[in-house]
Amino acid sequence: MAFRLTSNDMQDGEKMPLLHVFNGMGYHGDNLSPHLAWRGVPEGTKSFVVTVYDPDAPTGSGWWHWVVANIPATTQELPQGAGSGLPGLPAGALQTRTDFGQAGYGGAAPPQGESHRYQFTVHALDVARIDVDANASGAMVGFNVHFHSLGSATLTVKYN
C-alpha cells in the first residue's frame, strides 16, 4: 500500500471548508485544524512531521500554516482541532512557529480575490525526534526533515 494522507474533513483537490479557514485578516472561519489520517507508512518510520504550506502566498517563499514535529511512530491520525488547542496531539509532539508568528494551526487566509492551494503533508522520518523547539520556523523544520525523510504523503485543498 502506498503512503497516503486522508481527512474526514476535506477531499484532495476540493475547496477547504470554512471550519478550517482562518478567523482574522477579513476571514470569519473557525480556524480549526482538520482531521488527518495516514496509511501505508514506510518501513523503518520512527516519527512523523505534519506541515501545512501555501505555495501561492505572495511572499517569495510561501507561507507555513501549521507545523507539528516529533509525532510518535505509533500515531497515524490527528483528530479535528488537535492543532487548535483541543485535545489530540500525542505526547511528545511539538507544534512550532508558523508564519503567523506563533505555534499552532492557522487556517487559509489568501489575499482577497486570490485562490491559493494548501498542502497538508505528513513526512515519515527515520529518527524518533528532530532537534527543533517551538520557535523553529517551517523552513528550519523542513531542513531537518530533508535529512531524515523516508517518504511523504500530501493532500491539497484550495481556498478563495
Side-chain angles (χ1 to χ4, degrees):
M1 172 190 261
F3 194 20
R4 185 166 178 229
L5 178 63
T6 61
S7 174
N8 292 341
D9 299 327
M10 306 179 302
Q11 298 299 313
D12 192 48
E14 298 295 323
K15 185 175 181 176
M16 178 185 284
L18 191 59
L19 190 65
H20 310 297
V21 172
F22 195 69
N23 187 355
M25 298 170 47
Y27 288 94
H28 303 287
D30 292 318
N31 203 46
L32 195 63
S33 64
H35 163 268
L36 298 172
W38 46 95
R39 303 289 180 262
V41 173
E43 190 172 324
T45 297
K46 295 182 180 173
S47 71
F48 298 100
V49 168
V50 168
T51 61
V52 180
Y53 178 72
D54 171 2
D56 303 316
T59 63
S61 60
W63 190 274
W64 295 97
H65 283 260
W66 192 27
V67 183
V68 187
N70 303 331
I71 300 169
T74 55
T75 302
Q76 292 191 16
E77 185 171 24
L78 295 179
Q80 184 184 83
S84 306
L86 299 177
L89 282 180
L94 172 70
Q95 295 186 95
T96 70
R97 182 175 48 85
T98 68
D99 287 333
F100 288 107
Q102 59 193 19
Y105 178 80
Q112 293 297 324
E114 294 185 19
S115 179
H116 286 205
R117 294 167 292 158
Y118 298 88
Q119 299 169 332
F120 289 76
T121 304
V122 59
H123 306 270
L125 306 183
D126 65 0
V127 292
R129 302 179 35 81
I130 55 174
D131 188 22
V132 296
D133 62 24
N135 290 316
S137 67
M140 176 58 83
V141 172
F143 178 80
N144 283 273
V145 165
H146 173 79
F147 292 103
H148 296 287
S149 180
L150 295 172
S152 63
T154 300
L155 181 151
T156 302
V157 293
K158 303 175 270 189
Y159 194 79
N160 62 339

